[in-house]
Amino acid sequence: MIEIILLFFFFLSSIVHLIFCFTEKEKLRKITKPFCLAILTILVIVIDYKLWPVYIGTLCGLIGDIFLLKKKDLRWFGAGTIFFLVGHIFYLYQFIALNRIFFQQNFYIYILAALGFLASFVLCYLFLPKNYKYLDLLGYIYVSMLVANIIFGFSAMFNSELNIASSLCFFIGYLLFFASDGLLIWTSFVKDFKRRDFYIMLLYLVAQLFIVFALFITIL
């Protein structure tokens, strides 16, 4: 019962936050932003506190959200990116654990993910602007991590031993995350546009929910 209540409050806090994003009420947007991932983190702990990589992942997302409230300050932006990167690593750790036997039997998936990571890093280095040195490097690593997670999610959909919804949600979640962060990077460093936070946060919150659901569906 408490899980349903927390899920309701997650949706409620997300809707309220998105309304403030859409209406561009900046102060209220900043106040409500941390509540979404905070409630999701509590929900994850309540469902199963033993799956620590998942709630560490959401907690890193929460901390990243707080740092990105000052995203115009590059130090805060960089710190937020690091926390999000760590969160993705923990999400991937739990996803690999769910598909451990499948990935062991198909070891080439690790090679494909590594190649995807390297290819993404090289493409980012070649085509993205180079203005902030270490922050640029961190951004390349971050984007490449998203690509690797997308590859793992897509590959796991061929795992007949696991509920396909888990892999599908993980795959879709990371596609949405990639789109959200792509908008964030574009509006922060290339060209801004009206109601940017609404589109970024809509994609982001749905992505987080899909990823968490992917990592929990096998025990629900």
Side-chain angles (χ1 to χ4, degrees):
M1 184 62 180
I2 188 172
E3 292 92 340
I4 297 175
I5 294 173
L6 286 169
L7 185 60
F8 168 78
F9 277 107
F10 169 75
F11 281 118
L12 180 62
S13 62
S14 297
I15 291 170
V16 170
H17 176 65
L18 289 172
I19 289 172
F20 291 138
C21 289
F22 189 81
T23 55
E24 297 187 306
K25 297 187 182 302
E26 195 66 9
K27 184 176 180 179
L28 292 173
R29 180 191 71 83
K30 290 182 177 181
I31 291 173
T32 56
K33 185 178 182 180
F35 285 96
C36 305
L37 264 290
I39 295 172
L40 188 61
T41 300
I42 296 170
L43 174 62
V44 170
I45 294 172
V46 169
I47 293 175
D48 190 344
Y49 69 91
K50 294 179 182 178
L51 290 180
W52 53 269
V54 185
Y55 60 77
I56 289 180
T58 58
L59 183 60
C60 285
L62 169 60
I63 297 172
D65 283 343
I66 294 172
F67 276 120
L68 259 62
L69 289 174
K70 296 185 178 182
K71 60 187 176 184
K72 292 184 179 180
D73 186 321
L74 295 182
R75 293 171 298 179
W76 287 80
F77 189 93
T81 302
I82 290 172
F83 274 100
F84 279 118
L85 178 61
V86 172
H88 293 311
I89 292 172
F90 278 104
Y91 285 152
L92 181 60
Y93 173 87
Q94 183 60 38
F95 188 68
I96 289 176
L98 288 175
N99 294 273
R100 180 175 55 84
I101 296 176
F102 176 74
F103 287 145
Q104 286 177 348
Q105 293 173 343
N106 300 274
F107 191 78
Y108 66 88
I109 294 173
Y110 290 102
I111 299 174
L112 287 175
L115 290 174
F117 183 97
L118 290 173
S120 177
F121 186 91
V122 171
L123 289 173
C124 287
Y125 179 79
L126 291 176
F127 296 106
L128 291 183
K130 302 173 184 63
N131 300 317
Y132 304 104
K133 295 183 180 179
Y134 297 114
L135 185 60
D136 289 338
L137 180 61
L138 177 61
Y140 304 160
I141 294 172
Y142 179 83
V143 171
S144 301
M145 186 71 202
L146 293 181
V147 171
N149 284 20
I150 289 172
I151 292 172
F152 275 110
F154 178 78
S155 300
M157 285 193 285
F158 297 95
N159 182 6
S160 59
E161 301 299 319
L162 192 72
N163 187 334
I164 191 174
S166 173
S167 303
L168 182 61
C169 286
F170 193 83
F171 175 66
I172 293 174
Y174 268 100
L175 287 180
L176 293 173
F177 229 120
F178 191 90
S180 175
D181 286 333
L183 280 178
L184 175 63
I185 292 170
W186 180 266
T187 55
S188 296
F189 300 107
V190 182
K191 185 178 181 180
D192 201 359
F193 57 79
K194 194 174 179 63
R195 298 191 178 97
R196 66 184 182 280
D197 291 303
F198 172 77
Y199 302 106
I200 291 169
M201 290 303 297
L202 176 61
L203 292 167
Y204 168 74
L205 291 171
V206 176
Q208 286 282 12
L209 190 62
F210 265 72
I211 292 168
V212 168
F213 184 70
L215 300 174
F216 271 108
I217 192 172
T218 55
I219 65 169
L220 294 177

